[in-house]
Amino acid sequence: MRTAENWHDYRIIDTSDGEKLEKWGNISLVRPDPQIIWKTDKKDPLWRNADGHYHRSNQGGGKWEFRRRLPDGWTVNYKELTFNIKPTGFKHTGLFPEQAVNWDFMTEKIRASGRGINVLNLFAYTGGATLACAAAGASVCHVDASKGMVQWARENAAASGLSEKPIRWIVDDCEKFVAREIRRGRKYDAVIMDPPSYGRGSNGEIWKLENSVYDLVKLCSEILSDKPLFFLINSYTTGLSPSVMGYILGSTLTDRFGGRVTFDEIGLPVLSTGMTLPCGSTAIWEK
């Protein structure tokens, strides 16, 4: 497992009984995590005194309970990047901190390439990967279907001092955007893809990752330059193993471009136990 262990402003304090106790800067939150099926003792007093606690409902969804009034938003830093954090309606905070291990990989690859790199970031959410690539010197096209998420990403870029970097901010359906970019003849040296497990398009189309990811990867292979640097896929779909995603990348890209494929779970360290909490998986093709 690859572990995002370089955080200073984020920590998982403990995990038990379907929940994780976290610190985001100086604010403590308890949030659900379905993989935490163990029921160890909750000894840390923060379990009872956390600033915010998201309670999942038996009918689906859930709601936040706050012990004190929190600011509308606050910031955390990862190396030179700054992110705006706020609890949202469905347990999230606007950032997946485990992705820092992938931001480090991207940063190193781009800086070591010694050339200008053009990156396409699909399902780009609030822009963690976009900011990491831009800070490393790449040009980035950031694409997400949610206008609100793209605006949040722009605010993160501003907070990180990256507003003047060459970033294109696109609100669009990712698959349709890629198809148009192919017709326009635009090429990218790297593709990042963080698709949802399930979703609906604007016209009622149903997206299921396991049914759609191969075709999307194959489509994206047509947008790669003659000298691509990397292609990275994240997945939070429990039934889709890292090796399956690795096989998709290998069967799509290696015959044409060579290179190699790696795949693994990614995770976050837990202070109280020393364990690493699995937080999804990533497959990477790289030249």
Side-chain angles (χ1 to χ4, degrees), residues 148-159:
M149 291 300 107
V150 173
Q151 178 58 35
W152 196 335
R154 293 179 73 115
E155 292 167 2
N156 285 337

Side-chain angles (χ1 to χ4, degrees), residues 91-110:
K91 81 174 182 178
H92 297 304
T93 62
L95 192 67
F96 293 95
E98 65 274 9
Q99 289 299 326
V101 72
N102 287 329
W103 305 338
D104 289 344
F105 162 80
M106 299 168 198
T107 297
E108 292 167 8
K109 288 291 287 187
I110 291 167

Side-chain angles (χ1 to χ4, degrees), residues 28 32 49 51 66 80 105 116 118 129 164 203 206 240 254 271:
S28 54
N49 300 304
D51 297 313
F66 296 107
E80 72 267 46
F105 162 80
N118 196 17
E164 302 305 314
N203 296 319
I206 295 177
L240 195 62
T254 52
L271 288 182

Side-chain angles (χ1 to χ4, degrees), residues 42-229:
K42 295 182 175 180
K43 297 178 181 178
D44 195 299
L46 266 181
W47 279 112
R48 297 177 296 279
N49 300 304
D51 297 313
H53 190 161
Y54 187 89
H55 298 279
R56 195 181 284 282
S57 168
N58 293 331
Q59 286 74 45
K63 64 178 182 178
W64 284 98
E65 175 190 9
F66 296 107
R67 289 182 58 86
R68 65 182 177 94
R69 183 177 178 84
L70 298 184
D72 292 337
W74 65 96
T75 61
V76 298
N77 296 311
Y78 183 77
K79 298 183 177 180
E80 72 267 46
L81 306 178
T82 299
F83 299 99
N84 293 283
I85 303 301
K86 56 185 175 184
T88 66
F90 183 66
K91 81 174 182 178
H92 297 304
T93 62
L95 192 67
F96 293 95
E98 65 274 9
Q99 289 299 326
V101 72
N102 287 329
W103 305 338
D104 289 344
F105 162 80
M106 299 168 198
T107 297
E108 292 167 8
K109 288 291 287 187
I110 291 167
R111 288 178 175 163
S113 70
R115 59 188 173 98
I117 299 297
N118 196 17
V119 176
L120 176 62
N121 187 13
L122 300 173
F123 309 96
Y125 195 49
T126 59
T130 294
L131 304 191
C133 292
S139 300
V140 186
C141 181
H142 174 110
V143 186
D144 197 281
S146 168
K147 183 178 180 180
M149 291 300 107
V150 173
Q151 178 58 35
W152 196 335
R154 293 179 73 115
E155 292 167 2
N156 285 337
S160 300
L162 298 172
S163 293
E164 302 305 314
K165 294 292 184 179
I167 304 172
R168 298 168 62 206
W169 304 102
I170 307 294
V171 179
D172 203 348
D173 175 272
C174 289
E175 187 171 359
K176 292 176 181 176
F177 176 79
V178 171
R180 285 196 297 274
E181 290 285 87
I182 292 171
R183 292 195 294 270
R184 287 188 282 252
R186 196 183 297 270
K187 296 291 184 179
Y188 294 89
D189 304 299
V191 174
I192 303 160
M193 189 186 298
D194 199 353
S197 298
Y198 178 86
R200 287 186 178 273
S202 57
N203 296 319
E205 310 96 325
I206 295 177
W207 161 277
K208 291 186 70 175
L209 182 60
E210 58 268 36
N211 295 338
S212 306
V213 65
Y214 178 81
D215 290 337
L216 184 55
V217 170
K218 192 171 182 181
L219 182 68
C220 288
S221 71
E222 298 302 316
I223 209 170
L224 289 172
S225 67
D226 293 336
K227 295 181 178 180
L229 189 63

